Amino acid sequence: GTPAEEMEGGKIDLLKFGAFETVDFAMMVHPTRETQVHMTALAMSEYRVVYRGVNAHASGNPEEGVNALDAAVQAYTSISCMRQQLPDAARVHGIITKGGSRPNIIPDLTEMHYYVRGVDKAMLEAVVQKVRPCWEAAATATGCSVQIEQLGESLLNVVTNRTLADIWTTHYESLSGEKIPSVEEQLKMPSGSTDFGNVTYARPGAHPCYAIGGTGANHTAEFADQVVTEQSHVATRNASKAMALTCLQVMASDKLLAKVKDEFVAKFGNE
């Protein structure tokens, strides 16, 4: 197990401090609505955007104010308009976390929280270069100042090791009786982001997601209800057993381990 899977990037810290230096390959499993061995997790960066203006009474002397809420609204609207020009797989979504205190006071501070995602590091960086001017232009248009802060390290997309994925698939289908969709179908499934992607840039890895039944998507009340069912517990045992059997099979075979590593080297050019 590792800490803070998604937002805090616990695995990124472990990578920095050398926790994976003696590791040959890495695996983890995650519950979801549909089984997806070839996880399509997106690269992601997280941002806090703060606008600062000048307080004034919104009725008595509005001309003396500089409205930080106008800046936040303008930025949100500009990004929404820009989505039409983004690649299909890109995702930009955010909220206004601070929008003022009273209707009769022009806000002097507003704050936004945004996630920017792309299919890989290159797309992520390209989308950020499109989003950042929206934040900056809103400040210029309203006379506010803006502070743009990236929160933590960027999460990278998961690069699935085909050899590990194929072995896990064989074991999971045998244990569960489930027929897993084709790789092509899996790659079309939606996904979020995870710091395990950073691990797969440093070591061969696979991150199967396994279905626990029900119709609720992850991070919904319906999914939370499904997690505590016996069907979910059985699926979790099967997924965990399949992962353990995959590790044992690879560790017991120099030929298989070499195949796992060779695939990684072919992708990234280093061990």
Side-chain angles (χ1 to χ4, degrees):
T2 55
E5 180 215 356
E6 196 164 334
M7 292 300 99
E8 299 301 326
K11 295 181 188 63
I12 300 173
D13 290 336
L14 290 174
L15 280 167
K16 286 181 177 179
F17 288 103
F20 290 91
E21 285 183 1
T22 59
V23 172
D24 290 310
F25 61 92
M27 291 190 72
M28 65 173 284
V29 293
H30 195 295
T32 188
R33 180 167 54 183
E34 299 175 279
T35 299
Q36 181 188 29
V37 189
H38 292 259
M39 189 189 188
T40 54
L42 302 174
M44 188 192 89
S45 294
E46 182 179 5
Y47 291 90
R48 178 188 294 119
V49 182
V50 179
Y51 292 102
R52 288 182 169 85
V54 178
N55 276 145
H57 194 286
S59 178
N61 54 325
E63 70 281 358
E64 297 178 13
V66 177
N67 197 323
L69 181 57
D70 282 346
V73 171
Q74 183 64 55
Y76 188 94
T77 303
S78 296
I79 291 170
S80 296
C81 292
M82 185 193 63
R83 283 196 179 94
Q84 185 180 20
Q85 281 71 52
L86 293 178
D88 288 343
R91 298 287 185 270
V92 182
H93 38 106
I95 57 172
I96 298 174
T97 54
K98 294 180 181 178
S101 57
R102 301 281 299 179
N104 63 333
I105 301 173
I106 290 176
D108 66 341
L109 183 144
T110 55
E111 194 169 301
M112 309 180 81
H113 191 184
Y114 262 90
Y115 296 166
V116 183
R117 309 188 199 232
V119 294
D120 54 23
K121 183 179 180 181
M123 181 186 287
L124 172 62
E125 290 174 348
V127 175
V128 169
Q129 291 307 307
K130 288 179 175 288
V131 172
R132 183 177 285 272
C134 294
W135 292 326
E136 294 169 342
T140 301
T142 57
C144 293
S145 65
V146 62
Q147 177 186 353
I148 303 169
E149 177 189 4
Q150 181 172 346
L151 303 178
E153 301 274 351
S154 296
L155 307 182
L156 301 181
N157 55 298
V158 171
V159 180
T160 299
N161 185 277
R162 182 68 179 259
T163 304
L164 293 173
D166 288 347
I167 297 171
W168 187 91
T169 296
T170 298
H171 288 303
Y172 188 74
E173 287 185 335
S174 175
L175 289 164
S176 67
E178 178 184 344
K179 179 61 178 175
I180 295 174
S182 68
V183 175
E184 291 72 22
E185 291 176 283
Q186 292 178 49
L187 293 176
K188 295 176 183 177
M189 294 178 182
S191 184
S193 303
T194 170
D195 59 0
F196 188 79
N198 299 65
V199 176
T200 65
Y201 272 71
R203 290 292 183 272
H207 185 315
C209 294
Y210 60 96
I212 62 170
T215 59
N218 290 48
H219 304 288
T220 64
E222 292 80 7
F223 190 81
D225 291 338
Q226 184 63 25
V227 164
V228 298
T229 66
E230 180 61 22
Q231 182 182 12
S232 172
H233 292 171
V234 170
T236 300
R237 286 195 294 269
N238 288 336
S240 302
K241 288 179 181 178
M243 182 167 58
L245 289 169
T246 300
C247 293
L248 288 171
Q249 186 174 339
V250 174
M251 289 188 293
S253 170
D254 291 340
K255 184 178 180 180
L256 268 181
L257 181 57
K259 186 179 180 182
V260 168
K261 291 186 174 183
D262 288 346
E263 183 183 333
F264 180 82
V265 171
K267 176 71 176 178
F268 293 104
N270 64 292
E271 292 195 58

